[in-house]
Amino acid sequence: MTKEGRTTMRCFFARRAISRAEDRGTKRPRWVERHAGRCGSCGEYARFTASLKARLAGERPAFLAAVPDFPLDEAAWAASVDREIQVRAPGRRYVLRPLPAAAGAFVVLAAGLVLLLVVLREAPPSPKDRTAALAALKSFAAAPDRLPGVVTEAEFSLEKERRILEKQLSSAVEYLQARLNIKIERRDPPAKST
Amino acid sequence: MTDHDPIEGTTDEELARRARAGSGRSFDELARRYKRRLFVYLRPRVGSDEDAEDLVQETFLKLYRSIDSYDPAFRFSTWLYTSAGRLAIDAYRRNAASRDKLAAESAAELPDPASDHDRDPRLSGLWAAARGLGADRFRALWLRYGEDLSIEEIAAVLGRTKLAVRILLHRARTSLMKTAGPSPARTVAPAKAADVRGARSG
């Protein structure tokens, strides 16, 4: 509730709501109307805000009329555009100079060559490669007992890479501990639920 | 220019469209309509009346040169005030080195809004009080109530978010009520709608 001569948090929100309704051109919420009816200062703010548009529009002509008149140099606008055209005009003549033209042509040629080489290098697999890949697949299909051996070999490579990464990480942690004088504890991952 | 000149009743956007097509007279009419309004808008941001006049001239010069880029789908006033605001920032940066000196000189030579208010009875009322609220709040009030721009348009002109504009306007209204008082009796009586329209076009 609002006490005489004091604004409360409710007043703050009510005035914000009054302003919001004014800015959006919407109706004020009913609680705001009720509050403005009870609270003198918020009621004044509501009336002031509601009357502001008409009052400022009414005072606008007198306010503008009080501004001292001053001349504008209309001729300067056209003159500036003319000057700009004159300044720009010589620049619009395109001249093909031999050296930059040759350099440009060389760059375009080099780019074309690079593009061609990349495209050739990344050409689709030849029929020979395709036949070899199919033969390998067929051999796995014919002798499935060889498959575990291949999988173990792949897993061994991955395990080796994991160990290398772990080693690098621990040396990085050691460096950080020494450098920043902090202690970093290793937290083991949670056990997998079965 | 006669009273029956059709250019008088033409909208700003139509005039700008004609100016884009090469009509210098249309552009002159736009300049005539907005000269004082732009001055009022820019004056709180610069050190003196002369600086504000120069900035108005510079704004119209810029607009004249870039009239081809004006899109008639948007209000002319939004485009004008956005350009003017940018030029004011450029001018502020240009004068940064000598700003303190200029401010001291202008404070000594030029009357502040409060003294204008005391001396010129025409400057009494809410707009004069609004001028004393600071450049940002005055500009927001001017664009909202003097130019009837929407919150979105004001945000575009001032380069702020819509929320920031709403907060600015709320603070400006609160301060204005404290400064000018809530009673309409203390302000100039609202003029007729015809006067308002006349001033908007002039």
Side-chain angles (χ1 to χ4, degrees):
Chain A
M1 293 292 280
T2 306
K3 290 177 184 171
E4 193 60 43
R6 284 180 61 194
T7 56
T8 61
M9 188 61 92
R10 183 170 270 259
C11 293
F12 174 80
F13 286 117
R15 288 177 198 186
R16 292 298 289 266
I18 290 166
S19 283
R20 199 180 306 124
E22 166 70 15
D23 290 337
R24 291 179 177 168
T26 55
K27 220 177 144 187
R28 292 175 197 149
R30 277 197 294 179
W31 73 268
V32 174
E33 293 287 2
R34 280 199 301 275
H35 176 78
R38 283 196 303 269
C39 172
S41 57
C42 288
E44 267 181 8
Y45 181 71
R47 283 190 293 280
F48 178 79
T49 305
S51 68
L52 199 55
K53 191 172 184 177
R55 289 171 68 186
L56 286 175
E59 291 185 23
R60 189 175 177 276
F63 183 62
L64 284 174
V67 173
D69 195 23
F70 58 96
L72 283 176
D73 188 6
E74 286 94 347
W77 308 333
S80 78
V81 172
D82 291 344
R83 268 203 308 276
E84 201 175 348
I85 290 166
Q86 281 171 4
V87 169
R88 276 185 189 173
R92 287 188 180 171
R93 284 183 294 154
Y94 298 108
V95 179
L96 198 64
R97 294 171 194 279
L99 203 62
F106 176 75
V107 167
V108 169
L109 202 67
L113 269 174
V114 167
L115 201 68
L116 204 66
L117 283 172
V118 169
V119 168
L120 280 177
R121 189 171 288 179
E122 290 183 358
S126 63
K128 194 180 167 187
D129 294 337
R130 211 171 286 166
T131 315
L134 277 171
L137 270 174
K138 275 177 188 169
S139 72
F140 282 133
D145 51 327
R146 271 187 61 206
L147 199 60
V150 174
V151 171
T152 311
E153 197 178 320
E155 277 180 347
F156 176 73
S157 304
L158 284 172
E159 178 62 23
K160 197 174 164 188
E161 198 169 329
R162 192 185 68 80
R163 275 205 299 274
I164 292 167
L165 281 172
E166 202 172 46
K167 201 173 168 186
Q168 283 177 351
L169 187 67
S170 60
S171 67
V173 168
E174 275 169 20
Y175 171 78
L176 281 173
Q177 284 184 145
R179 187 80 185 164
L180 303 174
N181 198 21
I182 55 170
K183 182 152 177 65
I184 301 171
E185 286 181 359
R186 177 178 175 144
R187 189 178 289 171
D188 288 326
K192 285 179 188 172
S193 58
T194 52
Chain B
M1 201 176 287
T2 64
D3 288 342
H4 303 291
D5 194 339
I7 210 165
E8 288 274 349
T10 313
T11 62
D12 297 341
E13 289 69 31
E14 176 60 21
L15 285 174
R17 199 188 58 75
R18 288 185 198 170
R20 206 173 62 165
S23 167
R25 192 161 160 262
S26 297
F27 192 83
D28 290 349
E29 172 64 14
L30 281 171
R32 190 187 67 76
R33 286 183 188 183
Y34 278 94
K35 184 170 76 169
R36 283 165 188 252
R37 290 150 73 174
L38 205 51
F39 176 89
V40 160
Y41 177 75
L42 291 169
R43 179 61 184 87
R45 298 196 71 182
V46 294
S48 67
D49 284 357
E50 288 75 17
D51 286 347
E53 287 171 12
D54 288 348
L55 214 47
V56 170
Q57 174 75 29
E58 205 179 329
T59 304
F60 283 120
L61 180 65
K62 186 187 171 189
L63 256 56
Y64 190 83
R65 291 164 70 162
S66 58
I67 193 74
D68 288 340
S69 65
Y70 170 67
D71 182 356
F74 298 96
R75 282 169 72 158
F76 176 76
S77 56
T78 312
W79 189 55
L80 173 89
Y81 282 110
T82 306
S83 297
R86 285 179 188 154
L87 280 175
I89 291 168
D90 290 347
Y92 181 84
R93 284 175 184 158
R94 270 203 309 271
N95 299 331
S98 56
R99 193 169 53 230
D100 293 339
K101 192 185 164 198
L102 277 174
E105 282 172 6
S106 63
E109 289 171 9
L110 294 159
D112 60 16
S115 60
D116 278 349
H117 181 281
D118 293 340
R119 199 172 51 202
D120 192 342
R122 288 175 303 177
L123 268 181
S124 62
L126 279 176
W127 282 119
R131 266 175 64 169
L133 300 178
D136 280 356
R137 290 178 184 183
F138 174 78
R139 284 192 306 152
L141 284 171
W142 178 257
L143 294 173
R144 181 73 177 138
Y145 296 106
E147 293 293 344
D148 205 21
L149 296 191
S150 67
I151 300 293
E152 287 83 1
E153 287 168 329
I154 298 170
V157 169
L158 298 181
R160 298 188 182 202
T161 62
K162 286 190 278 181
L163 179 66
V165 170
R166 280 203 291 268
I167 291 169
L168 191 60
L169 276 170
H170 173 71
R171 288 178 181 162
R173 285 189 204 108
T174 309
S175 304
L176 191 60
M177 191 176 84
K178 281 180 190 162
T179 312
S183 169
R186 287 185 62 179
T187 63
V188 175
K192 289 176 183 175
D195 292 342
V196 177
R197 278 199 301 275
R200 273 171 191 250
S201 62

